[in-house]
Amino acid sequence: MKIDARVPIAAASIGFACFLAMNSFSLWGFSYLPEFVMGAYADKAWSLPLALSNTAAFLVFVVAASKSKAKHPPLAGAIGFVACGLIFLLGFLGSGNLPLLFLSGGCVGIGTTCCFICWETVLSRMDDHQRKPCILAGSTLSAASFAFFATADNSLTLFAIMLLAFGSIAMMHLCLRALPEKQEEHPFTLDAKSLKEYVGFLLCILAIGIISPVIDGTIPSESNNLIGRGFIVHGANVLSAVILGIAWFAFNKTITIKRAYYLVFPLFITALFLFPFVSDEMKQAASFAASFGFTFFSIVMMISCIEISEEKHGGLVGLYALFAFVTYASRFVGDGVSFVLGQSSIPNDTLPMAAAFLLVYLLSIVMFLVSRKPHHETTPLQLPDTQAKQPHRDIEDRAEKQCAILAEQYKLTERQHEILVLFSHGYDIPSIAKRLFISENTVRTHTKKLYLVLDVHSKQEIISLIEAVSLDPKA
């Protein structure tokens, strides 16, 4: 049965919102909402196993993808583990048996990881102008659960969680069936070369992941409550969606992980310097900044992984699992730093100041590392002026002549011809965007059309096609 093209877009928006709302229960500060339903011990007996299994499952996907054993979305795993987790949870609520709560957290953690991978796959099957509205709509709609969780009793909250979980999976299944699968030509590789390529992104993610729990750990416990935490988490979701929506659709800007770090760096520095000098109530603002940064990076990371995968034509599951593993593993590092600070001899009244200066130091070091350019790297802006001036009009070298022949043969547009020439000189998409003064999304759109016209599927195939063009007039 043919499904209307608009159905998976709407289903993805609703399903992604359900998933984020369910996730706010399982990972909402890792304790506050579960404590409301399960009791004070939920943090150690349910939330901790959930967080550990969630992080460990991402690592398993990284390893499996590097061995070409994780190419398809784990829909069956999402259904099975989430269902088992909810069954164990119901068993605990009926019997009070703590091992059941432990098993529930572990299963839900693995199921959550599978859902993350599945939703990333769903979004990757959409065009850029479809996936971004879905992410923004899902992030905004998920905040509707805040009002319910804050007012409902335990039984209704648990029932709502079950509906959200299986509603998300149902929408996910519909989208995976309706959206065409994309063939990946290149597998995910886990080696020194690939890790070096991603080290700047991973450092940014690591810094943001560490900061959030450290700031939370220095806020007095009496200033934390369910309503306050709910406002922080869902407010961060909505604010992230608003800012990204303005950047994407009002200014047509692409937000990469490094660019996101540059954007939030001044905000974090300001919040951390003010942190030691404000009242306990005002410290919630710093907590909101940290939560916003984590949420903002999580959304940007989803988009960035898809864009990197499209550029490399493969490896989405492994790449996203690697980035997500670092994201959640860094939170454990942050928890450890928070614990060490709390157990140190630093007086309680100066603890916020010590944490603030530690985090400012961490942020600054990462900023330095990701902004400096290796000595051996030559950017397109450093090339001689003879190559910078409209390469499609001043054909001087062999590659440009070959590109001109292809442009004439395939009736390429002027912009497609420009991009083809720049590809022949080794430019990547961000460099082309800078050279032509257009957005990276526009470059990707022209590149997709160029692939279609030339009947190729990767940048390497374009280079091979250019090199195969003969300049011999007798040929």
Side-chain angles (χ1 to χ4, degrees):
M1 180 179 67
K2 186 176 181 180
I3 301 177
D4 190 298
R6 293 169 295 183
V7 172
I9 309 303
S13 300
I14 296 171
F16 191 60
C18 290
F19 173 66
L20 292 179
M22 179 194 76
N23 211 35
S24 72
F25 175 82
S26 58
L27 299 176
W28 198 356
F30 296 106
S31 62
Y32 288 95
L33 189 54
E35 283 181 10
F36 174 66
V37 178
M38 305 170 195
Y41 41 72
D43 186 31
K44 291 183 174 60
W46 193 80
S47 296
L48 183 59
L50 186 148
L52 287 170
S53 62
N54 175 240
T55 306
F58 275 122
L59 181 58
V60 170
F61 274 105
V62 173
V63 176
S66 67
K67 299 181 181 298
S68 301
K69 294 182 180 179
K71 295 182 178 179
H72 303 289
L75 181 61
I79 296 172
F81 281 108
V82 170
C84 287
L86 293 176
I87 290 171
F88 285 135
L89 181 56
L90 290 173
F92 161 75
L93 294 175
S95 66
N97 192 340
L98 274 179
L100 291 178
L101 188 58
F102 184 90
L103 289 172
S104 174
C107 288
V108 171
I110 299 173
T112 299
T113 299
C114 293
C115 287
F116 269 121
I117 299 291
C118 287
W119 278 117
E120 181 76 350
T121 304
V122 168
L123 295 170
S124 73
R125 294 184 181 183
M126 298 179 181
D127 293 331
D128 192 59
H129 68 278
Q130 296 173 327
R131 73 170 67 101
K132 288 179 178 177
C134 284
I135 290 178
L136 299 183
S139 299
T140 305
L141 290 173
S142 67
S145 64
F146 173 40
F148 181 84
F149 290 152
T151 57
D153 60 28
N154 294 7
S155 59
L156 288 178
T157 299
L158 185 61
F159 179 69
I161 296 302
M162 296 176 68
L163 285 181
L164 289 171
F166 289 107
S168 172
I169 290 174
M171 295 297 100
M172 183 196 306
H173 176 64
L174 173 62
C175 293
L176 289 173
R177 284 190 57 197
L179 294 169
E181 183 177 353
K182 291 186 177 180
Q183 297 296 325
E184 294 189 347
E185 298 177 8
H186 308 295
F188 172 75
T189 55
L190 187 64
D191 53 24
K193 182 180 178 181
S194 60
L195 289 176
K196 184 178 180 180
E197 183 179 356
Y198 304 135
V199 67
F201 302 137
L202 297 177
L203 280 174
C204 294
I205 294 169
L206 183 67
I208 299 300
I210 291 174
I211 285 172
S212 184
V214 173
I215 292 181
D216 285 342
T218 56
I219 296 177
S221 58
E222 57 270 16
S223 65
N224 283 318
N225 55 66
L226 178 65
I227 302 299
R229 290 298 301 174
F231 176 79
I232 287 174
V233 171
H234 287 296
N237 277 350
V238 174
L239 180 60
S240 298
V242 170
I243 291 177
L244 286 171
I246 292 173
W248 286 338
F249 300 109
F251 295 100
N252 197 27
K253 295 291 186 181
T254 298
I255 306 296
T256 63
I257 291 175
K258 289 185 179 180
R259 190 172 292 176
Y261 192 84
Y262 299 152
L263 289 173
V264 302
F265 180 79
L267 171 66
F268 276 18
I269 292 294
T270 303
L272 290 170
F273 271 127
L274 292 176
F275 190 70
F277 308 107
V278 298
S279 64
D280 291 345
E281 291 74 16
M282 290 300 296
K283 285 183 172 62
Q284 295 288 349
S287 182
F288 179 84
S291 182
F292 161 74
F294 186 80
T295 303
F296 187 76
F297 264 75
S298 297
I299 298 175
V300 171
M301 183 185 70
M302 296 188 77
I303 291 289
S304 295
C305 287
I306 294 173
E307 291 175 346
I308 294 171
S309 174
E310 288 179 344
E311 188 171 339
K312 294 180 175 295
H313 296 275
L316 175 62
V317 171
L319 179 64
Y320 178 70
L322 173 63
F323 281 28
F325 168 74
V326 173
T327 299
Y328 290 102
S330 64
R331 292 189 66 93
F332 287 106
V333 177
D335 286 330
V337 173
S338 179
F339 176 79
V340 170
L341 287 174
Q343 298 298 313
S344 67
S345 58
I346 302 174
N348 289 336
D349 56 345
T350 59
L351 182 60
M353 183 176 294
F357 279 101
L358 174 66
L359 296 177
V360 167
Y361 179 75
L362 172 65
L363 280 169
S364 302
I365 290 294
V366 173
M367 185 69 171
F368 171 75
L369 291 174
V370 300
S371 60
R372 67 190 295 267
K373 195 173 293 297
H375 294 296
H376 65 274
E377 184 178 338
T378 302
T379 65
L381 297 179
Q382 296 171 324
L383 293 176
D385 290 340
T386 54
Q387 291 186 1
K389 296 179 180 179
Q390 303 183 22
H392 66 290
R393 294 182 181 177
D394 189 15
I395 301 176
E396 295 181 354
D397 61 20
R398 178 182 178 85
E400 291 175 349
K401 293 178 182 178
Q402 291 170 315
C403 289
I405 293 174
L406 285 176
E408 178 67 24
Q409 179 181 349
Y410 288 92
K411 308 299 181 185
L412 300 182
T413 65
E414 184 178 2
R415 183 64 83 188
Q416 289 170 348
H417 186 184
E418 285 180 316
I419 292 174
L420 183 67
V421 172
L422 293 174
F423 273 145
S424 73
H425 286 301
Y427 289 58
D428 58 11
I429 286 178
S431 302
I432 293 175
K434 290 179 181 178
R435 173 68 64 209
L436 300 180
F437 301 102
I438 58 179
S439 72
E440 292 181 22
N441 286 340
T442 302
V443 176
R444 289 189 178 91
T445 299
H446 286 301
T447 301
K448 289 178 182 178
K449 293 178 180 178
L450 188 61
Y451 284 179
L452 184 63
V453 172
L454 298 180
D455 192 24
V456 297
H457 303 89
S458 68
K459 180 181 174 181
Q460 185 55 49
E461 288 188 27
I462 285 185
I463 301 301
S464 299
L465 184 63
I466 294 172
E467 292 175 347
V469 174
S470 174
L471 297 180
D472 186 354
K474 297 179 181 181

